[in-house]
Amino acid sequence: NEQADTYGQGLDASTRLAVERTRLALDRTLMAWIRSAISLITFGYGIYKVIETRALGSSPRIGHHEFGLIMISVGLLALALGTYEHQRAGQQLGAEYPAAPRRPSCVRAFSALVGALGLLAFLTMILRP
């Protein structure tokens, strides 16, 4: 009987698999946040490096440098919010199913790496205008 099959943790197989599917869905959602953050960060840095200011008679209020900084900031904010939401939802899932096996999320480590690279791009733009 599949219902009687336990993982050594007191959960039946269908509940254990449901929890695992939910964890994988949380990881996929964080990957979508990371993908969006990478797009914003690279777009912001690309604008900074590629577009040259043209003399139009007056200086625009927000030039390519400022716009790039804003885009990177929004990307870093999206990354932080997505990582926070992933952690909060994972803790909630663990609280609802304490007997479910826990595993570390490699996606959060990737999120931290992308955040460090985004912060490096931001600091590069601040220090070299």
Side-chain angles (χ1 to χ4, degrees), residues 7 9 19-20 23 90-105:
Y7 191 64
Q9 301 276 343
V19 170
E20 186 60 23
R23 282 198 179 119
Q91 288 174 343
Q92 183 180 4
L93 186 65
E96 287 182 36
Y97 298 98
R102 295 180 186 241
R103 61 173 177 76
S105 175

Side-chain angles (χ1 to χ4, degrees), residues 8-39:
Q9 301 276 343
L11 291 177
D12 61 52
S14 82
T15 303
R16 182 175 43 83
L17 291 172
V19 170
E20 186 60 23
R21 279 192 303 271
T22 304
R23 282 198 179 119
L24 291 172
L26 291 173
D27 285 351
R28 283 190 304 271
T29 302
L30 180 55
M31 288 299 290
W33 278 97
I34 292 170
R35 188 173 46 248
S36 298
I38 288 172
S39 297

Side-chain angles (χ1 to χ4, degrees), residues 48-109:
Y48 165 68
K49 289 304 261 184
V50 173
I51 297 177
E52 295 181 21
T53 306
R54 296 180 183 164
L56 298 175
S58 67
S59 177
R61 289 185 188 202
I62 296 180
H64 69 284
H65 184 258
E66 292 81 10
F67 187 73
L69 285 171
I70 291 169
M71 293 297 290
I72 291 176
S73 299
V74 170
L76 288 171
L77 179 65
L79 188 64
L81 290 173
T83 304
Y84 170 76
E85 181 63 26
H86 181 267
Q87 180 178 356
R88 189 193 61 75
Q91 288 174 343
Q92 183 180 4
L93 186 65
E96 287 182 36
Y97 298 98
R102 295 180 186 241
R103 61 173 177 76
S105 175
C106 295
V107 179
R108 267 193 240 153

